[in-house]
Amino acid sequence: MRSRIGVIFATLLIVPSIVLAQDTKSEIEAGSEAWEEAWNAGDAAAIASLYAENAVVLPPGAEPVTGREAILAFWQAVLDEHAGVTGELETVEVHDFGDAAVEVGSYVDTGPGGEHMDHGKYVAIWKKIDGEWKIIRDIFNSSMAR
């Protein structure tokens, strides 16, 4: 009887954390979907809104971009340079740390004519701020030889 009570008690402790982890994963995936939709719509303001005020983007071959306003300008310039390019993000894994989460994913960019432009990987650190998940760090790089 005692061992059954122990198992029940342990289950009651474990199940909520599994459910919370699944909720976090779903919420992070929804955030990545919103990022993808904003990119494909050419909406740098919508992309920037997914970042915390003091977020940092770490682009390849460039200095860090710090703060939401700078991030907005950065993504607007990228969108302008790559007009008509669409992207697809795939969340590969999410690690839940309570009020923070780490997302590891991959991306594929397709040109306006359907040509393969780029593919690579990214890591985004998300933090729950005022009840909303926001990106606080974002690093990405191509898997294509340059």
Side-chain angles (χ1 to χ4, degrees):
M1 182 66 162
R2 281 189 172 184
S3 64
R4 260 195 225 168
I5 291 172
V7 169
I8 291 170
F9 183 71
T11 302
L12 291 174
L13 289 175
I14 293 169
V15 169
S17 61
I18 292 170
V19 171
L20 287 175
Q22 288 293 51
D23 287 347
T24 298
K25 185 175 189 289
S26 297
E27 291 171 3
I28 298 302
E29 287 174 335
S32 287
E33 288 172 17
W35 201 105
E36 178 183 307
E37 289 170 11
W39 170 269
N40 290 336
D43 189 346
I47 292 172
S49 74
L50 297 167
Y51 291 83
E53 277 298 327
N54 61 350
V56 180
V57 174
L58 303 158
E63 294 299 316
V65 180
T66 303
R68 189 180 291 152
E69 289 301 315
I71 290 169
L72 169 61
F74 169 78
W75 285 120
Q76 186 62 63
V78 173
L79 285 165
D80 291 346
E81 184 179 333
H82 296 92
V85 174
T86 58
E88 183 178 335
L89 300 177
E90 179 183 351
T91 300
V92 176
E93 55 190 75
V94 173
H95 301 275
D96 183 0
F97 298 100
D99 69 342
V102 175
E103 175 191 20
V104 178
S106 63
Y107 70 86
V108 176
D109 289 337
T110 304
E115 67 276 16
H116 179 85
M117 300 293 293
D118 191 15
H119 65 276
K121 58 271 183 201
Y122 66 90
V123 174
I125 302 174
W126 296 76
K127 183 166 180 58
K128 196 162 246 189
I129 301 170
D130 297 328
E132 288 186 70
W133 286 104
K134 297 289 184 182
I135 302 167
I136 61 169
R137 297 294 183 274
D138 183 9
I139 187 167
F140 56 94
N141 55 66
S142 177
S143 293
M144 294 178 63
R146 301 279 172 190

